[in-house]
Amino acid sequence: MTANQLMNIPEELRSLPQWVVWRSEQRDGDAKPTKVPYSPTTGRLASVTDPATWGSFDQARAAHDAGQGSGVGFVFTEQDPFAGIDLDDTEGDEAAWAIQQKVFDAFQSYAERSPSGKGLHIIVKGELPSGRRRSKIEAYSSRRFFTMTGDVYRRDPVQDHHELLQELWTELGGTPDTVTHTETPERDTDDAIIERAKTAANGAKFVKLWEGDWQKDYPSQSDADQALANFLAFYTQNRAQIARMFRASGLGQRPKAQRDDYVRRTVDRALDRVLPPIDFTAFKQGVEAKVALWKAQRTDAGWFAASGFVGKPVPPREWHVPGMIPAHNVTDLTGDGGTGKSLVALQLAVATVTGTEWLGQDVRAGRAIYLTAEDDADELHRRLAGICPLTGLDGLTLRSLAGYDALLAAPQGRSGILTHTPLFDDLDARMGLERPALLVLDTRADLFGGEENNRAQARQFIGMLRGLAIRHRCAVLLLSHPSVAGISSGVGSSGSTAWNNSVRSRFYLSRITDKDGSEPNVDARKLTNKKNNYDRTGKEVFVTYADGTFHAISVPTDAANSAKAAFVFIKLLEERNSQGRRVNANSGSNYAPKVFAEHPNSDGITKTAFKKAMEKLLADGSIVSVEDGTQSRRSSRLVVNNAFISPSPP
């Protein structure tokens, strides 16, 4: 069992303060070591009925990591909704194994291997009247702890199997885990039973056991104890009476025979011999009948009454990026080719694991997984090196599928219904280990194997991703390319409208252009919120690319672009005048905006942007137009006003 394996344990259990550590201890006379619970906070013995001796999952894991226990355990109580089914090592008993296999198949829910690797623990939701044990099968919903390993055997969610539990409890035949519970009444007195046993055909054998004379007939006293309990169970099936009589015998005088756990196990085995064998056919029929009735009464276990909210605090909305990217849900990020959406998403992953801002926005801190089918490992290395120092990124896990089959889901057969692939299962398992706050998937075209315009498949794929987000309590950011129509319209969407309708939030990363289609600043981008189910839509974040990353612009983009155009205009004007080459504010071959837009150092600024900058500089007196030449042949040129102080780069 490793620390990573423990994170496979369903979060529903890990979130409860019902954890202990256990130690394997050999008790006097027991053939096998016993798993004994200890408090993870005090190191003292724990009790399954005393919450003060339990702790949180993190405390139990820390105690285990510190060597204070062999493993961790979860305590079942009347207050939680959980129950556990223990399928113990059958030790080669094929009949017992066949029954266990049917129980395992019937209870479709999370299952993991026991510490020995020879048994299975199935965790379900449901309640039992009491715990029961029979024929290598145990079931409990309170007053018992289960060792938990996270060594997953079946990676299913914890399912509600209350009705099924009731049937199993009945079929296990009345062997509750406390000797005070009487499944059958006492029909004879202790003395009458003893007298009948003594006078039976094998009475001599009983008498020797009753008086404690076992050495010549049995290999150990434990075997003799079991033989005596078997005799008593033949005459009475009342557990308390068997235990009482056993303790009154000559064999029952030693200290071990006074231990409740030892006597309980001995009586369990004795009753197993006299109770009828488990009829799994009847069990299955009973289950089917009850489930049919239950389904008729309640077709969906997810229904609940709104009145149940009364008196409960309203849970706050959880965000990964406040007002932009909701937690535990799917957000779509589309962007024109080459706009930098992969870099924007990678910056978000870095901000998540480093606890820093992302494009000027606060981010929920935590681990992150970045799965890409677009970029190889070398490209990821280069981009990360441009974003930040490569130290402190322990919480970021990368996977590149560039050049490989990257499908997470694909349609099957004629039905066209999507089925998740082994890669999806691998991702699901990895998320169980990592418990990320953010999952980035780049891009939809590589990961989705269905038809983009198929509404049902689009909704099903987003539903699969939302299942990951809910199970692992993380935000999922799905990157995608817009269609040509989506680009031209400025909407940034692609394929069926179901993509937009199914995600809870959608952003579009675009270039910033003028009305004539030119880019005043080729490094500027606009991130626009096109859909938000939980906040206002239309939010815009303006960024510019520099030094390998995108940076938020703190002033409106138009002002930033104007400042940049003005700065470059002044720089080129000074250069031009120093060379004795004039430009003017009028049309013609020396028209300044035209000359500067064609200059190799124009920094991508267009003629239109230079014209706007020139008009503003003229208006505020930063530059002036002067005339020279003869009286008959006058000409004008632009110069920087001597009183003007050249600005710093914006």
Side-chain angles (χ1 to χ4, degrees):
M1 179 181 66
T2 66
N4 281 342
Q5 276 186 328
L6 290 178
M7 297 306 292
N8 289 334
I9 298 171
E11 187 182 20
E12 294 174 275
L13 276 71
R14 290 190 286 111
S15 65
L16 297 176
Q18 296 168 209
W19 290 87
V20 296
V21 290
W22 58 267
R23 302 174 193 170
S24 184
E25 299 180 354
Q26 187 72 46
R27 289 184 170 179
D28 179 40
D30 281 355
K32 296 181 180 179
T34 301
K35 296 178 179 66
V36 182
Y38 284 85
S39 168
T41 57
T42 67
R44 300 189 182 94
L45 282 170
S47 168
V48 293
T49 60
D50 184 2
T53 64
W54 314 333
S56 68
F57 171 78
D58 289 339
Q59 289 171 329
R61 185 175 61 173
H64 168 259
D65 291 345
Q68 298 176 24
S70 304
V72 302
F74 178 79
V75 182
F76 295 100
T77 72
E78 289 88 348
Q79 285 71 45
D80 68 64
F82 302 109
I85 302 169
D86 183 3
L87 305 181
D88 203 0
D89 180 12
T90 60
E91 300 176 332
D93 185 335
E94 293 187 4
W97 184 89
I99 293 174
Q100 285 192 357
Q101 183 65 46
K102 292 175 181 177
V103 171
F104 176 79
D105 292 341
F107 288 89
Q108 294 292 316
S109 191
Y110 173 82
E112 62 174 39
R113 296 175 182 85
S114 64
S116 69
K118 297 179 180 180
L120 287 179
H121 291 167
I122 306 172
I123 307 300
V124 300
K125 292 179 181 177
E127 185 179 355
L128 292 168
S130 63
R132 289 199 169 175
R133 175 189 180 279
R134 186 182 175 198
S135 299
K136 306 293 185 179
I137 301 173
E138 299 180 55
Y140 306 94
S141 64
S142 64
R143 297 173 177 264
R144 181 60 69 102
F145 87 94
F146 264 25
T147 59
M148 300 294 292
T149 63
D151 185 4
V152 177
Y153 190 82
R154 181 169 56 199
R155 192 181 297 278
D156 283 2
V158 179
Q159 301 286 1
D160 187 340
H161 283 308
H162 179 73
E163 302 290 338
L164 200 57
L165 272 177
Q166 305 308 302
E167 289 296 322
L168 179 63
W169 185 83
T170 301
E171 187 60 33
L172 289 180
T175 56
D177 63 347
T178 55
V179 295
T180 56
H181 181 86
T182 56
E183 187 68 20
T184 57
E186 295 184 21
R187 295 185 175 87
D188 289 311
T189 65
D190 296 356
D191 290 341
I193 289 173
I194 294 169
E195 189 60 30
R196 288 172 59 195
K198 285 181 178 179
T199 58
N202 55 357
K205 187 175 182 181
F206 173 81
V207 169
K208 290 181 70 175
L209 289 170
W210 182 257
E211 294 176 351
D213 182 7
W214 61 271
Q215 290 82 354
K216 294 181 181 180
D217 301 314
Y218 298 93
S220 69
Q221 185 167 346
S222 294
D223 290 320
D225 290 345
Q226 189 63 62
L228 177 58
N230 293 346
F231 266 111
L232 297 173
F234 179 78
Y235 294 100
T236 176
Q237 282 76 60
N238 183 280
R239 294 176 56 83
Q241 189 174 26
I242 297 171
R244 184 174 66 240
M245 294 169 65
F246 171 75
R247 286 189 168 118
S249 70
L251 291 176
Q253 300 309 303
R254 63 172 176 152
K256 182 178 180 180
Q258 301 304 312
R259 284 196 352 235
D260 288 344
D261 61 332
Y262 177 73
V263 174
R264 182 180 66 245
R265 290 196 299 271
T266 302
V267 174
D268 283 345
R269 287 190 287 267
L271 286 172
D272 276 350
R273 291 171 57 90
V274 298
L275 288 170
I278 294 178
D279 182 358
F280 198 82
T281 300
F283 165 57
K284 185 177 181 181
Q285 291 173 346
V287 168
E288 291 173 348
K290 284 203 172 184
V291 169
L293 177 61
W294 173 63
K295 284 185 176 180
Q297 296 171 339
R298 187 179 58 175
T299 58
D300 185 352
W303 292 97
F304 58 92
S307 58
F309 291 143
V310 175
K312 292 183 179 180
V314 178
R317 174 81 60 201
E318 294 187 54
W319 295 92
H320 190 73
V321 178
M324 296 178 67
I325 300 178
H328 321 148
N329 229 309
V330 183
T331 294
D332 186 31
L333 171 61
T334 58
D336 308 348
T339 53
K341 61 182 177 297
S342 296
L343 178 58
V344 165
L346 189 57
Q347 284 185 233
L348 176 60
V350 169
T352 299
V353 301
T354 57
T356 54
E357 287 188 343
W358 171 68
L359 308 182
Q361 312 296 314
D362 292 332
V363 176
R364 174 192 177 199
R367 300 182 65 85
I369 294 177
Y370 188 96
L371 185 151
T372 176
E374 297 269 291
D375 300 313
D376 61 20
D378 288 344
E379 181 60 26
L380 292 174
H381 189 173
R382 286 187 287 269
R383 289 188 176 182
L384 283 173
I387 294 173
C388 66
L390 296 179
T391 57
L393 296 180
D394 294 340
L396 175 58
T397 299
L398 308 170
R399 184 166 186 184
S400 172
L401 294 169
Y404 295 91
D405 182 359
L407 292 182
L408 294 178
Q412 295 296 310
R414 296 180 179 178
S415 68
I417 296 174
L418 285 187
T419 300
H420 54 74
T421 66
L423 177 61
F424 183 95
D425 295 335
D426 184 36
L427 174 61
D428 195 3
R430 188 73 194 189
M431 293 176 72
L433 294 174
E434 300 272 346
R435 310 305 297 177
L438 172 70
L439 169 66
V440 177
L441 300 173
D442 185 16
T443 64
R444 186 179 84 195
D446 299 294
L447 306 175
F448 170 66
E451 297 179 16
E452 188 180 54
N453 292 311
N454 187 311
R455 183 178 184 83
Q457 290 178 355
R459 292 190 66 85
Q460 193 179 359
F461 186 65
I462 295 299
M464 288 180 178
L465 299 186
R466 190 158 188 240
L468 291 177
I470 293 172
R471 279 199 301 279
H472 301 292
R473 309 295 291 169
C474 74
V476 175
L477 183 66
L478 175 65
L479 277 58
S480 57
H481 298 294
S483 64
V484 174
I487 296 173
S488 61
S489 66
V491 175
S493 61
S494 176
S496 168
T497 56
W499 293 109
N500 181 71
N501 295 340
S502 299
V503 298
R504 300 296 88 185
S505 181
R506 185 170 69 84
F507 285 85
Y508 181 40
L509 183 67
S510 60
R511 301 176 184 276
I512 301 173
T513 59
D514 284 335
K515 293 180 180 179
D516 61 2
S518 60
E519 283 186 79
N521 181 356
V522 295
D523 294 327
R525 302 285 187 273
K526 180 171 63 173
L527 187 64
T528 308
N529 188 197
K530 295 294 186 179
K531 177 188 177 180
N532 194 329
N533 280 48
Y534 308 130
D535 209 322
R536 281 175 134 186
T537 58
K539 180 174 182 177
E540 296 179 331
V541 176
F542 297 96
V543 296
T544 187
Y545 178 82
D547 302 323
T549 59
F550 284 106
H551 304 272
I553 299 175
S554 58
V555 295
T557 303
D558 288 345
N561 290 338
S562 297
K564 181 176 179 179
F567 171 77
V568 176
F569 190 100
I570 293 291
K571 183 174 69 171
L572 295 178
L573 179 59
E574 290 177 331
E575 175 187 301
R576 187 89 174 182
N577 285 336
S578 69
Q579 297 169 347
R581 304 164 68 194
R582 65 176 62 214
V583 290
N584 60 50
N586 304 316
S587 60
S589 60
N590 292 328
Y591 182 50
K594 176 179 180 297
V595 172
F596 291 165
E598 296 172 352
H599 196 283
N601 295 327
S602 66
D603 209 1
I605 299 172
T606 64
K607 175 183 173 181
T608 301
F610 274 131
K611 180 181 178 182
K612 291 179 180 178
M614 180 182 71
E615 297 296 341
K616 184 177 185 304
L617 291 170
L618 285 168
D620 63 23
S622 301
I623 61 173
V624 293
S625 179
V626 298
E627 291 188 353
D628 54 18
T630 63
Q631 188 171 4
S632 61
R633 191 177 177 84
R634 307 290 292 177
S635 62
S636 64
R637 63 188 177 95
L638 290 173
V639 298
V640 178
N641 190 338
N642 291 331
F644 172 71
I645 300 176
S646 183
S648 301

